[in-house]
Amino acid sequence: MKYRNNFLREVEANVEEGEWVKRCMQCGVCAGSCPLGPHWEHPPQEIFMMIRAGKREEVLGSDSMWMCTSCYNCIARCPRELPITHIMHGLAHYATRLGLVSENQQTNKFAQRFWNNLTKKGRVNELKLGLSLYFMNGIPEGIKTSLKMQKVGLGMWKTKRMDPMEILGGHGCKDTSGLQAMLKKASEIEAAKKVKV
Amino acid sequence: MAKEYSYYPGCSSQKGASSSNQLRSTQAICDVLGIKLNEIPDWNCCSASIGYAGGGELPRLALSARNIALSEKHHPNQDVVATCAACWLATRETNDRLTENKELFAETNEALKEAGLVFNGQKKVRHMVEVLIEDIGFEEMGSHVKKPLEGIKIAGYVGCQTNRPFGINGESFENPMYLDKMVETLGADSIPDYDKKVACCGGALMFSEPEKSQALVKEILESAHDSGADMIVTPCPVCQMNTEVYQDAINAKYGTKFNMPSVYYSTLMSVAYGQTAEQAALSGQVIRATKLEEIADK
């Protein structure tokens, strides 16, 4: 039997670096250091407090952790050395696993596409990733974005920093089957460790 | 004798990819400095800092562990070196976490077995800038300068992941000076009090939250411009791209007139070393660095 609330224990068991959450001292240096600070509904220290208060839906359904740019300012400055960036990534991943992310969460969509892109051949295909990004909100929106981004694309193409031929396959690892088997195994090990709280 | 390293180039440096110009100019300066970069055979993506929606902790650690394991196998006794900030960060973080945590070490190795590899944790994972500063040194870097970049004022934009959480050469996270020192070493004028030197450009969120990220880049450009900078220099592929290619969009939105070149330190070094515009990869600039072109053509 444990006295602390279930959600804190769930986060400790199932979220990357989740065992650090209880160590937050609520100073707010992370919030003040975050480049997207103005856009967070709940800054990190508030997320940590909400976890401690058992606000499961509010935390996992929140947009906040998806605002993380991975700048590591919060980590560098946290007086208690919490790996805040990793906890945010961990919460974002856990919310995705549980299907609690809103359908329109842009960074979730992009991050998912990035992962799918890289695991296909072991290396990111920038062209395909870019196109999938433009069209991730549907075809009409995609055409609008493509037109808006035309000049950027042209600049990248002219400077040989974008290769239209990548659409036909492009770069990749040789041992993709080994790599994919490794990733599958890693996911299985991780899934087996998840605790139902 | 050449100094040899086990090189992790990363996805964006590949031929026809967004930072292929960084690879080209890095190769050029390594030739001058007697550095041999041996590419890790069959390396894979590190998942950068954005793969986390789909990839859990262990799969992401396994990706970087695979690269280190390949390096251990093919390049024993050579440090792993990366030019990309995200590649360096992910690889070093994995290296540190697996060597510190027995459970993760065992689990990652169980996954790696599927790819026929073993992670031993015998490697040092370093950034190219560390190689330049620690193994080559400012004095030697300066000794190869044939065409000092005189009269060019350059804002040293260090950004995030080349700086935090590991830092370069033990410098402060809030005000690292190495990039300014490199600029000075090449004969150009640095802006040591450039107040956006460690600010964030939005990173990968430039793709998913473009307006929020462009607002950050606007401030980075504004500060460089108001400090009298002719150009920005950065070590990071994402910083480079974000500060360069969205200037039109930023100008359209904010009514600014930015036309600020953003270059890699390797491009600066290559030009100062008297190499050609081709070697310095100046053709890779979407916003052309005309002042560097003039020096290279001299």
Side-chain angles (χ1 to χ4, degrees):
Chain A
M1 141 70 187
K2 295 256 166 64
Y3 288 113
R4 285 181 174 165
N5 84 66
N6 285 344
F7 186 43
L8 176 63
R9 283 192 282 130
E10 180 181 350
V11 168
E12 287 183 329
N14 294 348
V15 172
E16 180 170 355
E17 305 283 9
E19 65 277 10
W20 283 90
V21 167
K22 60 174 178 286
R23 301 260 306 137
C24 169
M25 65 182 197
Q26 294 293 305
C27 70
V29 168
C30 50
S33 303
C34 178
L36 289 198
H39 308 290
W40 290 65
E41 190 189 357
H42 308 294
Q45 90 279 10
E46 211 169 287
I47 292 274
F48 299 149
M49 189 50 97
M50 288 163 76
I51 294 171
R52 277 140 53 166
K55 297 195 178 295
R56 190 174 191 273
E57 268 97 83
E58 290 94 321
V59 169
L60 293 175
S62 164
D63 247 4
S64 297
M65 57 273 193
W66 297 101
M67 295 290 151
C68 173
T69 64
S70 308
C71 79
Y72 285 69
N73 249 331
C74 52
I75 289 195
R77 292 178 184 167
C78 175
R80 287 208 164 160
E81 301 181 339
L82 269 74
I84 301 170
T85 311
H86 301 91
I87 304 171
M88 292 305 136
H89 294 176
L91 285 169
H93 178 74
Y94 192 51
T96 309
R97 267 182 88 93
L98 299 175
L100 296 173
V101 186
S102 92
E103 220 173 84
N104 211 21
Q105 215 312 312
Q106 298 294 297
T107 300
N108 170 271
K109 282 185 172 182
F110 177 61
Q112 188 66 56
R113 276 163 180 76
F114 188 94
W115 181 256
N116 296 346
N117 184 300
L118 88 88
T119 49
K120 212 165 222 165
K121 299 187 77 178
R123 293 182 191 175
V124 165
N125 184 311
E126 290 183 340
L127 183 69
K128 286 184 189 169
L129 180 65
L131 288 174
S132 76
L133 166 78
Y134 291 178
F135 287 90
M136 73 185 185
N137 297 317
I139 290 172
E141 195 61 31
I143 292 169
K144 239 167 72 188
T145 311
S146 304
L147 289 172
K148 216 166 107 188
M149 298 300 289
Q150 209 174 23
K151 226 174 147 189
V152 172
L154 203 63
M156 295 300 279
W157 173 68
K158 276 194 193 152
T159 53
K160 298 200 169 70
R161 291 163 61 184
M162 192 253 275
D163 179 5
M165 297 308 280
E166 284 280 303
I167 202 80
L168 300 175
H171 300 291
C173 286
K174 284 191 213 88
D175 185 25
T176 23
S177 58
L179 182 123
Q180 284 166 354
M182 171 191 86
L183 290 173
K184 186 164 167 270
K185 187 77 186 173
S187 300
E188 284 167 8
I189 298 170
E190 197 163 79
K193 277 188 8 183
K194 297 278 181 229
V195 179
K196 254 206 135 104
V197 182
Chain B
M1 215 180 72
K3 291 186 167 73
E4 295 200 39
Y5 300 90
S6 184
Y7 181 50
Y8 176 35
C11 302
S12 66
S13 77
Q14 296 177 104
K15 194 163 182 280
S18 58
S19 73
S20 47
N21 50 333
Q22 184 183 36
L23 181 61
R24 277 160 61 205
S25 50
T26 300
Q27 207 50 263
I29 61 162
C30 283
D31 291 344
V32 175
L33 296 167
I35 295 171
K36 188 160 180 262
L37 300 176
N38 302 311
E39 182 171 335
I40 297 174
D42 210 37
W43 57 267
N44 55 262
C45 174
C46 70
S47 94
S49 306
I50 194 69
Y52 55 77
E57 181 183 15
L58 200 60
R60 281 182 283 127
L61 288 170
L63 282 173
S64 290
R66 182 178 177 274
N67 290 327
I68 301 169
L70 284 165
S71 172
E72 286 178 350
K73 183 175 167 188
H74 296 284
H75 305 140
N77 310 317
Q78 293 173 21
D79 290 346
V80 175
V81 169
T83 34
C84 166
C87 290
W88 175 55
L89 174 62
T91 313
R92 177 156 167 194
E93 220 165 55
T94 299
N95 205 40
D96 288 2
R97 288 180 72 187
L98 297 190
T99 43
E100 281 160 16
N101 184 324
K102 281 190 186 129
E103 195 184 343
L104 285 179
F105 181 94
E107 289 167 355
T108 306
N109 266 317
E110 201 184 326
L112 270 178
K113 211 188 290 168
E114 299 289 322
L117 291 164
V118 187
F119 169 90
N120 295 302
Q122 304 295 335
K123 286 276 177 176
K124 242 178 121 171
V125 179
R126 304 173 69 198
H127 192 281
M128 188 65 200
V129 167
E130 292 183 295
V131 169
L132 293 175
I133 295 172
E134 294 166 5
D135 299 0
I136 304 292
F138 286 105
E139 201 176 320
E140 197 190 327
M141 269 193 266
S143 72
H144 295 279
V145 173
K146 293 202 175 97
K147 294 177 178 169
L149 308 178
E150 274 161 8
I152 304 182
K153 202 166 179 182
I154 305 176
Y157 177 46
V158 176
C160 298
Q161 296 190 350
T162 319
N163 181 36
R164 296 177 298 262
F166 297 120
I168 298 284
N169 205 25
E171 287 202 329
S172 119
F173 295 132
E174 306 297 345
N175 189 19
M177 301 302 289
Y178 74 85
L179 202 51
D180 297 323
K181 273 195 234 166
M182 286 171 89
V183 166
E184 296 281 339
T185 301
L186 302 173
D189 297 322
S190 70
I191 305 171
D193 61 349
Y194 175 45
D195 62 315
K196 290 292 171 187
K197 73 161 77 164
V198 295
C200 177
C201 69
L205 266 65
M206 182 60 87
F207 299 108
S208 53
E209 298 282 2
E211 286 189 7
K212 297 180 180 77
S213 302
Q214 285 173 18
L216 299 176
V217 170
K218 181 200 165 239
E219 291 182 1
I220 293 162
L221 295 169
E222 205 169 64
S223 164
H225 176 271
D226 290 359
S227 308
D230 297 303
M231 62 186 73
I232 288 173
V233 63
T234 177
C236 169
V238 177
C239 294
Q240 195 285 329
M241 182 159 161
N242 282 357
T243 53
E244 184 185 34
V245 308
Y246 301 105
Q247 289 189 29
D248 277 335
I250 290 168
N251 289 339
K253 172 151 190 193
Y254 294 97
T256 46
K257 287 178 180 159
F258 294 124
N259 188 33
M260 174 85 65
S262 177
V263 304
Y264 292 112
Y265 64 86
S266 45
T267 292
L268 282 188
M269 288 175 77
S270 178
V271 172
Y273 287 179
Q275 296 182 306
T276 62
E278 183 59 30
Q279 286 171 302
L282 282 168
S283 59
Q285 297 300 132
V286 172
I287 296 179
R288 293 178 63 173
T290 43
K291 290 203 172 181
L292 294 177
E293 287 178 11
E294 283 162 20
I295 296 176
D297 292 340
K298 229 172 12 202

